[in-house]
Amino acid sequence: MTRRVLIPFAALAALTAAGVWWFTRPGPTPNSDRPPVAADDHGPPVFEDVTVDSGVSFTYRNGEESDRYTILESLGGGVAVLDYDRDGRLDLFFTGGGVIDATTPVTVRGLPGRLYRNLGGWKFADVTDAAGLAGAPFYSHGAFAADYDRDGFTDLFVTGFGGVALYHNEPSPTGGRRFVERAAAAGLTDNRWATAAAWADLDADGFPDLYVCHYLDWSPANDPVCTGNGVPRDVCPPQRFKALPHRLYRNNKNGTFTDVTAAAGLRPDGKGLGVVVLDLDGDGKPDIYVANDAGDNFLYLNRGGMRFEERGFSAGVAVDEHGLFNGSMGVDAADYDGSGRPSLLVANYQGEFHALYRNLGGGRFRYHTAPAGLGRLGQKFVGFGTAFFDFDRDGWEDVAIANGHVLRHPVGSTFKQRPVLLRNEEHDGRRQFRELPGKGGAYFRADRMGRGLAVADLDDDGRLDLVVSHANEPVTLLRNVAALDRKWIGVEPAAKDNRDRAGTVISVKVGGRTLTRYVKGGGSYLSTSDARVVFGLGSADGPVEVGVTWPGGPTHHYANLSTGRYWQVAEADPVKK
Amino acid sequence: MSRLIKPLVVLALLAAGVGWFVFGPGTRRTDHRAAAESAAGRRLFTVAMDYLNDYFASDPADRDAHLLAARVSRRLGDGAVTAEHLRRYDELGGDREVLEIERALSRIEAGDPAGSGRVFDFCMKHPDHPAAPFALESLTIGMRKIGQPDRALRCANEWLRVAATPADRAAAHVGRGQALAMKGLGAEAAQEYRLALAENPTDPEAQFHLAEFLSRDEPAEALALYRGLDAERLEVKLGLSRAHRQLGNHGAAVAIITPLLAARPDDADVMTEAGTLALDRGRADEAEDLLRRAVSKAPDRRTPNVQLLRCLQERGKTTEADAQRAKVKQIDDELEKRIAAMSGKP
């Protein structure tokens, strides 16, 4: 009886409710899907910020405090990793930037860089004065290390606004080593605004030649006022200025250089901010790839005899997938996909994706940003320091990018930006990069003004560490503290008679795969990374075979090399380090 | 339990009574008109039209309802129905000035700028006139249609000032965004779409335009927005495919584009997206075929031409790639000229 009454009543109530819903129904609502969650990044962080206890305390200054909003202040500085005293430990040199005085017209002064000697155990000592680097001849940007005279000691080339410096590494009268500035004597006298540079033996004579990117024609006398986003002034875009021609110098093998720009076939344009040198078309000769700001990127294929052919467009590495040039800064190259060929990664400006140009072989590339998962980062970043490196030693090259805006009042983005750490993973049947904001540690979770970035194994444990320079923020040393459960082998190619090593290709056969790594000239942004090569071997066990193809030369194979250590492989026999 | 029967019956009768009062035939007629007005205020024009059609079944001679129906159908893009309701409004003694404005708005929205200046002046002089928001909305659309983004922006600014409902304010922001986009100010346009969504989180046009903008820049956010839109709409399907492709989800993109291509084998946009996806997947021969067909369908459109250029470069067809690059440059020069003209630059 009760049920017979309750059921019609419930039906009536339901009908009433349905009626009320129908007449008051809301409009369509959007799907509440969130953007894809970052890849699994559980577990302890891979990087630990060890700057404070290391003794390294330095800040690159760009002069923005004068509020002159010059484009000069947008570039920032770099870091060079080098063993300047040959004690077997990697030291650090940071460029200092400068000061922009609020005079009319503005005046620009340099600030000194800083050299830190590695004492071991993550302790560093400031040896700037003793090493003869206390001066500041100009407003500095980049630092590029190489043994240009093949005396066995690494020298230093510093770029900037108002000059370049070639610091020759010499014995100090008080013992140890010191740097003596020899740019003018060496013939490096182009004082126009210089940014990135790369050392590499381009003509196969054993001595490293020098490619120098020049930026644009800003000067105190050419200092326009540009309005910003709702503010009366912001930093001018590079489009407001004319490009400066880049320079290529042949090493004369006597401590001097000859400007061979015209004869080499270089283009007269390009607001260069990044350059990397390695064999990109597989012909055994190192080629030059240049990342330009607000202009096509250049690919100079090495035709021998210090002659180059610019093939950026036809190779597919000049512009993005929309056929548009980007605002390119940092650049690096690596075999990220196991193809045995180096692909190019270029860090770009806001409103553009960072570009991955996948090497298809035969000097052809495909713009591969989206298929490689880099589209997931979006276009809010302004990328500078850029590096491929296998931080988790699984045998696949991962990526780190230092980001930070150049505008004080950017639209749709932020002044400070978080750096990104991307792991190389298998998805959808191909290699893709996935961001690991948690895995990177605290450094990768905060917004910063990232600029120069170098990769180096500063404690020789086979785990690649990072050193980052920021604009107006202290430099950061990030110690790789990843679990030690994966095998590795390190290779330091020691070419005959201190011959330049850029262009060397090193491979390791492991677990049915061939891992290929490259010794490069230049790379990243305004910085020099560790010249040694570390192979992550994952869980592979037992000794491995290493193949080393010297620039323009033979391939040597070194069998039965045990893992978990560095090997110095000479053009003769390998030697344990 | 039998004690419950009597109160339950009383309650049921009460509920039925309430239902009769709320939804019964005596009130349905006026409620349908009010519901139509409410729906129009929320810019749910199809819903509003359904209510009005129901309403006209019982009261076909309501002059103001015909005016409302004309405004609703105009925004649905149905010119014939608009004209018919305006005719009925006229027959029933509608206000001549309002009638003329409505007829002018239909012409303006169709891209005929004649009389637009007069209507704009009228809105400036009488911002409180009930027709002003409708007029400014039409002017915004019309100015955009005839390639006058600055004027469209000015009209949208005024429309935003007088728009009464959040939905209308959202639409005005969308109008501003579209005008800014025409001027090549993409980031600023996106900001307007975001403001529109802040006013009306379910505004499909704001979602769509923001998704379109973001599909290049922020594919993850674009994907979420596209998923909230009518999945049967071609542009939405293309947007979903593009967002998946940008995120590296080739499988998901293929699942969308394959049936779309089968259904629309000659659509240039579909062929372009399918060709670009094929290129990303390393299927350059398939890509070349699709992109060549897309270019033949839309020879002056930039995207298929650029993607074909990429494809030719990748395939090592250097001579043809060089010619294709020259063609892209020509398209770019033309676009630049048009944007400069719209921005009033020389």
Side-chain angles (χ1 to χ4, degrees), chain B residues 207-218:
Chain B
Q207 280 185 59
F208 175 72
H209 289 295
L210 184 58
E212 289 282 276
F213 174 77
L214 293 171
S215 68
R216 267 183 61 161
D217 295 25
E218 302 294 335

Side-chain angles (χ1 to χ4, degrees), chain A residues 371 430, chain B residues 241-242 244-246 248-258 270-283 286-287 290-291 307 310:
Chain A
R430 64 190 180 281
Chain B
S241 173
R242 193 165 53 242
H244 277 302
R245 175 170 56 77
Q246 294 284 31
N249 302 332
H250 288 173
V254 167
I256 294 165
I257 207 71
T258 304
V270 175
M271 286 189 284
T272 303
E273 178 54 29
T276 308
L277 179 60
L279 202 54
D280 275 6
R281 296 172 71 207
R283 301 176 173 211
E286 181 186 331
L290 284 160
L291 293 166
Q307 297 309 318
R310 283 182 63 207

Side-chain angles (χ1 to χ4, degrees), chain A residues 2 9 12 23 28 31 33 36 313 321-322 324 353 360 364 366-367 370 375-376 378-380 428 430 432, chain B residues 1 12 23 202 216-219 224 227-228 245-251 282 302 306-307 310 313-314 325:
Chain A
T2 308
F9 181 77
L12 182 66
F23 284 96
N31 189 306
D33 276 5
F313 263 111
E321 71 167 336
H322 305 293
L324 301 171
F353 289 117
L360 306 175
R364 288 203 301 274
R366 178 188 301 145
Y367 184 87
R376 290 167 180 266
Q379 300 189 354
K380 289 190 170 70
D428 214 10
R430 64 190 180 281
Q432 294 198 42
Chain B
M1 284 305 276
F23 306 119
T202 60
R216 267 183 61 161
D217 295 25
E218 302 294 335
R227 281 176 169 165
R245 175 170 56 77
Q246 294 284 31
L247 291 167
N249 302 332
H250 288 173
R302 190 177 190 280
V306 169
Q307 297 309 318
R310 283 182 63 207
Q313 280 173 340
E314 184 173 319
R325 186 177 309 125

Side-chain angles (χ1 to χ4, degrees), chain A residues 166-485:
Chain A
L166 180 65
Y167 292 108
H168 184 238
N169 188 335
E170 299 177 359
S172 169
T174 55
R177 307 294 297 181
R178 67 167 185 171
F179 290 96
V180 178
E181 207 289 302
R182 296 191 182 280
L188 304 176
T189 53
D190 189 336
N191 286 341
R192 286 176 290 188
W193 191 356
T195 55
W199 292 103
D201 177 12
L202 297 166
D203 54 1
D205 65 359
F207 283 80
D209 308 295
L210 181 62
Y211 186 97
V212 183
C213 295
H214 291 270
Y215 192 38
L216 43 74
D217 70 347
W218 176 88
S219 72
N222 181 22
D223 183 29
V225 173
C226 295
T227 52
N229 172 40
V231 291
R233 190 161 190 186
D234 209 329
V235 173
C236 288
Q239 287 87 343
R240 286 293 299 265
F241 304 94
K242 287 181 186 150
L244 295 176
H246 302 189
R247 291 278 167 239
L248 180 61
Y249 298 98
R250 183 206 293 269
N251 192 324
N252 296 328
K253 303 189 262 185
N254 60 2
T256 67
F257 295 82
T258 300
D259 184 344
V260 295
T261 307
L266 262 56
R267 284 173 57 160
D269 55 335
K271 298 166 183 171
L273 290 178
V275 55
V276 66
V277 179
L278 72 162
D279 179 12
L280 288 163
D281 60 355
D283 68 354
K285 294 189 285 293
D287 310 300
I288 305 168
Y289 182 75
V290 183
N292 289 311
D293 194 6
D296 308 334
N297 293 338
F298 303 153
L299 172 61
Y300 289 112
L301 293 180
N302 192 336
R303 298 306 188 203
M306 216 59 169
R307 296 280 308 169
F308 293 85
E309 187 181 1
E310 205 285 296
R311 303 283 292 171
F313 263 111
S314 58
V317 293
V319 292
D320 66 13
E321 71 167 336
H322 305 293
L324 301 171
F325 61 70
N326 292 155
S328 300
M329 276 78 78
V331 60
D332 200 10
D335 173 18
Y336 84 98
D337 58 356
S339 65
R341 296 183 291 267
S343 296
L344 290 159
L345 177 64
V346 181
N348 287 322
Y349 192 67
Q350 183 197 350
E352 301 155 355
F353 289 117
H354 297 327
L356 180 78
Y357 298 102
R358 187 179 184 202
N359 193 331
L360 306 175
R364 288 203 301 274
F365 292 76
R366 178 188 301 145
Y367 184 87
H368 209 62
T369 292
L374 289 168
R376 290 167 180 266
L377 285 178
Q379 300 189 354
K380 289 190 170 70
F381 293 109
V382 178
F384 287 93
T386 304
F388 281 111
F389 72 129
D390 180 5
F391 74 81
D392 54 1
R393 301 195 304 201
D394 66 350
W396 295 101
E397 297 274 51
D398 310 297
V399 164
I401 303 175
N403 299 304
H405 221 293
V406 298
L407 294 179
R408 304 257 198 105
H409 307 280
V411 183
S413 189
T414 52
F415 185 50
K416 293 186 179 186
Q417 302 179 335
R418 73 172 193 278
V420 294
L421 180 66
L422 303 159
R423 186 165 63 193
N424 186 333
E425 299 175 352
E426 176 90 14
H427 290 282
D428 214 10
R430 64 190 180 281
R431 301 313 296 181
Q432 294 198 42
F433 294 97
R434 291 286 190 269
E435 193 182 1
L436 302 167
K439 196 84 176 169
Y443 178 80
F444 285 93
R445 287 195 291 270
D447 289 344
R448 317 203 175 255
M449 286 301 292
R451 292 294 189 265
L453 179 149
V455 177
D457 183 4
L458 292 171
D459 51 2
D460 300 320
D461 66 353
R463 293 178 292 189
L464 292 169
D465 312 298
L466 295 172
V467 188
V468 193
S469 172
H470 307 96
N472 306 316
E473 293 172 354
V475 300
T476 300
L477 271 60
L478 295 171
R479 180 183 184 184
N480 188 329
V481 291
L484 290 163
D485 56 345

Side-chain angles (χ1 to χ4, degrees), chain A residues 134-179:
Chain A
F138 52 86
Y139 182 112
S140 57
H141 290 305
F144 310 94
D147 177 11
Y148 75 89
D149 57 352
R150 294 174 63 177
D151 65 356
F153 286 90
T154 305
D155 312 297
L156 201 51
F157 179 67
V158 176
T159 58
F161 179 83
V164 294
L166 180 65
Y167 292 108
H168 184 238
N169 188 335
E170 299 177 359
S172 169
T174 55
R177 307 294 297 181
R178 67 167 185 171
F179 290 96

Side-chain angles (χ1 to χ4, degrees), chain B residues 24-33 50-62 65-66 88:
Chain B
T27 56
R28 187 181 300 147
R29 217 180 50 204
T30 50
D31 277 355
H32 278 183
R33 197 182 122 180
D50 288 345
Y51 281 129
L52 282 167
N53 286 334
D54 285 350
Y55 177 73
F56 287 132
S58 56
D59 191 351
D62 184 333
H66 280 291
R88 292 284 292 137

Side-chain angles (χ1 to χ4, degrees), chain B residues 268-319:
Chain B
D269 290 333
V270 175
M271 286 189 284
T272 303
E273 178 54 29
T276 308
L277 179 60
L279 202 54
D280 275 6
R281 296 172 71 207
R283 301 176 173 211
D285 51 344
E286 181 186 331
E288 185 177 337
D289 174 54
L290 284 160
L291 293 166
R292 279 190 193 282
R293 283 164 50 205
V295 167
S296 73
K297 283 279 169 191
D300 299 325
R301 213 175 288 169
R302 190 177 190 280
T303 306
N305 277 288
V306 169
Q307 297 309 318
L308 179 59
L309 167 59
R310 283 182 63 207
C311 188
L312 294 171
Q313 280 173 340
E314 184 173 319
R315 305 204 78 192
K317 299 185 176 181
T318 314
T319 310

